[in-house]
Every structure is written in C-alpha cells, then in structure tokens.
Amino acid sequence: MKNIIELQNISYSYHTLSGETIALKDISFGVKEGEFVAIVGPSGCGKSTLLSILARQLTPEGGSIRIENPDGSLKYPRIGYMLQRDHLLEWRSVYRNVTLGLEINHMMTPERLAHVDQLLEEYDLNKFRDKRPCELSGGMKQRAALIRTLALDPSVLLLDEPFSALDYQTRLTVSADICRLIRKTGKTMIIITHDLAEAISLADKIIILSKRPARVKAEMPIHLTLPDDSLLAARNAPEFPYYFNQLWEVLTSE
Ligand code: ADP
C-alpha cells in the first residue's frame, strides 16, 4: 500500500527574542493509509512541533510534506486533532460538545448529525447526550472528544498525548479502547506518547526521535501475536518484552 503521508527532510526552528531554537532537523518518514504510527522521543525534542506541522498549524522551514485524501486527491485533506486534555466545554451538554466542530464549520447537515447520533450510540454515550462533561468518567470524556473529532470525518487523526491526563489504570483501558474504536473506522492515526508500552501496544510502527533538534533515529515496525481479544492483549504478546528492550536501547543510545 502506498503512503498517504510523506514527509521529506522537514526542518523547523522557533525564533524568539532570546534566540533561535532548532526543533526539527531533516525529518523524513511515510505513513500508509489506515496505519497507526506512534512518535516517541525525549521530552522537549520536537514531537508536538512535528504534529503541528502535520496539522498545518506551522509551516516547515525546509523540506516537503504531502498528505493525500483516501480518494487520491491532495485537496483539503481533513485532519482531526486530539490534544492532551479533552477540552470539553462544561457549559455545553455532551451533544452540544460533540457537534461543536460541525457548528463552527457550518456543517450541521442532516447526514453529519445522523453520523454523530450513530457514533453516540456505538460508543455508549447516547444516554448521556444531555449530561454535562463533569458527569462523565475519564474514559467517557475521551470517547466524547473522539466523537467530536470524528464528526468532521477526518482522513487522518493526530493525537498529542491524548491520555496523559488520566490516571495510570484508567489510561491502560481507555487508550486500548479508543484505539480499538479508531481502528474500526479504518482511519490513519499518528499518536505522540512518552509511554513506551503504550506505543508498542497501539502502533503498527514507531518513529523514534533523537533529543532536540529532533531527527529520526529509527523506524520500528511492530508485529504482535495477540493472545486473545482483551483490551490489554497487546501487552501480553510474547514479542512485547523484545520490542520494549529494543525501543529503550535506541532511545538511550547516543
Ligand atoms: P515535545 O513535544 O517533544 O516535548 P515541543 O515540540 O513542544 O517538544 O518543543 C520542542 C522545542 O521547541 C522545545 O525546546 C521547546 O521549548 C521549543 N518550543 C516549543 N514551542 C515554542 C514556541 N512557541 N516558541 C519558542 N520555542 C518553542
């Protein structure tokens, strides 16, 4: 399958009054349609900068970036962005939160609203549609944030440490659950995480970045033999410890 995302020699620096910070240097990699890619690297190395470039919020200083729609066109590929916190608005009901993107983009069409209804049903949130976000559990909030993102029908989902606000135990199940739901949609996903076990259990491929300025240290394809279909199956796969050690070695090598 060909790449629907292609980054070639991307570089980026921040210019402030106190000087220049080179964040990214010569970043190249490709992502296939439907692929789940995790990006790991030391704190402050440039991961969020890279995601902002993919989301077209920042323009790279050098290199090229190509993102195709699944129909092969390069026009307006829709990017869904999920951040560290769910950013649900407390004064709006769950329903008015998940339809917020549609409202802002003037896309409240009957078809799109029917899609939202279907997602609410499928993600077990329909009975909470009139509740406030504070009445939902951490996992339910993440599901609502995911519906809000999927409502705009993006072809690529970018997730910047989306589970880091959750406690460890909740995070284990919520991350597996959310990624299972995204897999079902067939969408392409790029996720930043500092949790190596999370990266191995969720991704088809891990991009390992060096310390700042970030460059690609290695690309590691992940193939796990899943012992069962439980949420935590990936972590019980026989290959898991091998990948963990490899990842650790690459990350810590100079
Ligand atoms: P990561 O996501 O890997 O923690 P970031 O992409 O957030 O790293 O940041 C990379 C580097 O760029 C850091 O040194 C950070 O301090 C710097 N940086 C990030 N945003 C800005 C900004 N708006 N202005 C100046 N420097 C920035």
Side-chain angles (χ1 to χ4, degrees):
M1 206 186 274
K2 70 181 171 79
N3 290 334
I4 68 158
I5 300 176
E6 192 82 54
L7 279 79
Q8 250 161 16
N9 309 105
I10 293 290
S11 59
Y12 190 85
S13 304
Y14 290 99
H15 300 272
T16 59
L17 287 178
S18 52
E20 183 188 32
T21 305
I22 307 173
L24 308 174
K25 204 173 174 180
D26 254 346
I27 302 270
S28 302
F29 64 87
V31 180
K32 296 191 188 334
E33 189 180 346
E35 197 172 31
F36 274 27
V37 172
I39 297 176
V40 301
S43 178
C45 78
K47 301 182 292 297
S48 297
T49 305
L50 182 56
L51 223 59
S52 301
I53 286 177
L54 282 161
R56 295 178 189 272
Q57 292 175 347
L58 294 176
T59 310
E61 281 185 334
S64 67
I65 174 166
R66 186 181 62 86
I67 306 180
E68 229 175 66
N69 273 320
D71 66 6
S73 74
L74 287 168
K75 273 198 163 176
Y76 312 115
R78 238 184 238 127
I79 308 280
Y81 209 170
M82 263 178 84
L83 299 167
Q84 296 184 356
R85 290 184 46 245
D86 52 64
H87 291 285
L88 297 173
L89 304 176
E90 205 47 60
W91 62 90
R92 292 174 76 106
S93 65
V94 169
Y95 183 73
R96 294 198 60 227
N97 264 287
V98 296
T99 53
L100 182 63
L102 293 178
E103 197 179 307
I104 291 172
N105 290 289
H106 308 290
M107 287 164 66
M108 298 274 266
T109 60
E111 297 77 36
R112 292 196 184 273
L113 292 176
H115 182 219
V116 167
D117 281 342
Q118 184 201 329
L119 289 170
L120 282 166
E121 195 62 57
E122 206 180 320
Y123 294 6
D124 274 338
L125 281 178
N126 204 21
K127 47 187 176 300
F128 298 93
R129 59 193 286 145
D130 298 320
K131 304 269 187 222
R132 300 281 153 186
C134 66
E135 296 173 87
L136 305 182
S137 68
M140 287 154 85
K141 284 184 192 168
Q142 286 296 332
R143 282 174 173 233
L146 178 61
I147 296 176
R148 185 185 52 197
T149 309
L150 292 177
L152 291 161
D153 198 22
S155 43
V156 177
L157 286 168
L158 304 176
L159 283 69
D160 192 348
E161 302 247 18
F163 313 117
S164 57
L166 303 171
D167 65 79
Y168 184 68
Q169 230 171 326
T170 311
R171 178 182 179 133
L172 280 181
T173 47
V174 171
S175 60
D177 174 50
I178 291 290
C179 288
R180 180 180 55 84
L181 295 173
I182 297 176
R183 276 255 189 234
K184 271 176 68 183
T185 68
K187 295 193 187 294
T188 309
M189 179 178 94
I190 301 180
I191 181 170
I192 289 181
T193 176
H194 62 261
D195 182 334
L196 305 189
E198 188 170 277
I200 298 165
S201 62
L202 304 180
D204 301 312
K205 178 165 80 183
I206 302 178
I207 309 278
I208 307 162
L209 299 181
S210 68
K211 59 178 194 273
R212 193 176 65 75
R215 52 184 179 77
V216 177
K217 261 188 160 177
E219 284 192 28
M220 187 184 286
I222 304 289
H223 300 286
L224 298 174
T225 316
L226 299 183
D228 54 65
D229 61 359
S230 68
L231 281 179
L232 299 179
R235 293 174 194 247
N236 296 323
E239 302 85 358
F240 195 89
Y242 164 79
Y243 284 128
F244 195 94
N245 289 335
Q246 284 284 101
L247 199 49
W248 181 253
E249 246 173 58
V250 177
L251 264 175
T252 51
S253 70
E254 271 311 308

